[in-house]
Amino acid sequence: MLIFIDSANINEIEEAYNCGLIDGVTTNPTLLAKENQPVDRILKKICSIVKGPVSAEVISLDSKNMIKEAKHLSKIASNIVIKIPLTKEGLKAVRVLLKEKIKTNVTLCFSPTQAILAAKAGADYISPFIGRLDDISQNGMELIEKIKQIYNNYNFKTKIIVASVRNPLHILKAALIGADIVTVPFSVIEQLVKHPLTDVGIQRFLEDYKKIPKR
Ligand code: G3P
């Protein structure tokens, strides 16, 4: 399972990438707005750090302008993937971009049938938002299970990016289901690393090491 970082913050991306922990990046307008810099500049910087896929989202609602934006964004770097919302106009844009060999990540997916449409349109990635489903008392992980089964049934090539991840348990469940990718906020990447018994163990080893005679 690949791990992407769900962030537009250069410090977070650099730290996670330099530790060898991440394979790609996903951004969205909310994450970019936190950085208070022009979008193209941030994306260019991210793509200079990370060699894997970097998702950048269009904000237009009609396919014609989505395609125009996608063409502009894809010129920023060769590893840019265009995030397109799961709407009728969005799916139209995905079809056109497929022919133009521009990679797409269909976002804001909340149902298995939406995921079927994205795969049929030829999306490279689908991003089901599991945390936002959990937030309204629906089981986000069940959506991943269903999409995984459907994509297996029909041998769809679209890769599943588990998005809107809130905690390490989401990542564990995604791995057990066999999702292709999880996109994880920096704070959750840090939670993944930590275990209280690791800290206690290090402390005990250091204390015992001091007891060893030096000669
Ligand atoms: O980048 C898309 C997704 O991961 C957003 O997550 O936390 O805003 O629901 P969240």
Side-chain angles (χ1 to χ4, degrees):
M1 185 173 65
L2 299 182
I3 299 181
F4 290 0
I5 184 167
D6 197 24
S7 173
N9 182 278
I10 298 299
N11 293 336
E12 290 181 353
I13 292 168
E14 242 166 9
E15 191 172 338
Y17 193 70
N18 291 340
C19 288
L21 296 175
I22 57 159
D23 306 292
V25 181
T26 52
T27 67
N28 63 37
T30 306
L31 294 170
L32 286 162
K34 288 183 193 163
E35 301 312 310
N36 206 26
Q37 278 184 57
V39 168
D40 289 20
R41 193 191 299 163
I42 305 174
L43 290 171
K44 205 169 182 177
K45 179 76 186 152
I46 296 173
C47 291
S48 73
I49 301 166
V50 177
K51 299 299 157 229
V54 174
S55 286
E57 190 157 343
V58 297
I59 48 146
S60 299
L61 299 178
D62 64 289
S63 62
K64 193 168 157 249
N65 282 307
M66 284 176 178
I67 294 162
K68 201 170 153 199
E69 269 190 75
K71 285 183 179 167
H72 168 79
L73 290 168
S74 65
K75 285 198 184 95
I76 294 175
S78 58
N79 51 337
I80 289 276
V81 173
I82 308 300
K83 247 179 161 182
I84 306 264
L86 211 159
T87 59
K88 218 166 21 167
E89 287 298 303
L91 295 174
K92 262 201 253 174
V94 168
R95 274 215 165 278
V96 174
L97 294 171
L98 177 68
K99 288 196 192 109
E100 307 252 350
K101 297 195 174 9
I102 293 177
K103 289 204 156 78
T104 53
N105 170 2
V106 174
T107 189
L108 289 164
C109 170
F110 294 97
S111 80
T113 43
Q114 283 184 314
I116 295 173
L117 298 182
K120 284 185 74 72
D124 293 277
Y125 303 94
I126 181 77
S127 289
F129 278 25
I130 56 159
R132 292 193 196 181
L133 281 171
D134 289 355
D135 290 347
I136 58 159
S137 304
Q138 290 189 20
N139 189 336
M141 238 46 232
E142 272 177 16
L143 173 60
I144 303 299
E145 271 168 3
K146 286 178 183 161
I147 298 174
K148 177 75 185 165
Q149 188 184 329
I150 293 165
Y151 281 12
N152 281 350
N153 288 349
Y154 297 101
N155 204 16
F156 283 131
K157 297 285 175 261
T158 305
K159 298 218 178 313
I160 303 170
I161 304 182
V162 178
S164 186
V165 162
R166 304 265 197 262
N167 56 56
L169 214 50
H170 278 151
I171 298 158
L172 172 62
K173 287 182 184 161
L176 290 171
I177 293 167
D180 302 288
I181 302 153
V182 280
T183 188
V184 188
F186 185 72
S187 57
V188 181
I189 294 179
E190 287 199 306
Q191 282 178 286
L192 275 182
V193 178
K194 287 198 176 129
H195 197 289
L197 289 180
T198 305
D199 296 339
V200 170
I202 290 172
Q203 202 51 42
R204 194 176 299 162
F205 285 149
L206 289 178
E207 277 157 24
D208 288 343
Y209 187 81
K210 285 186 208 150
K211 298 173 195 159
I212 301 172
K214 295 295 169 282
R215 51 168 69 209

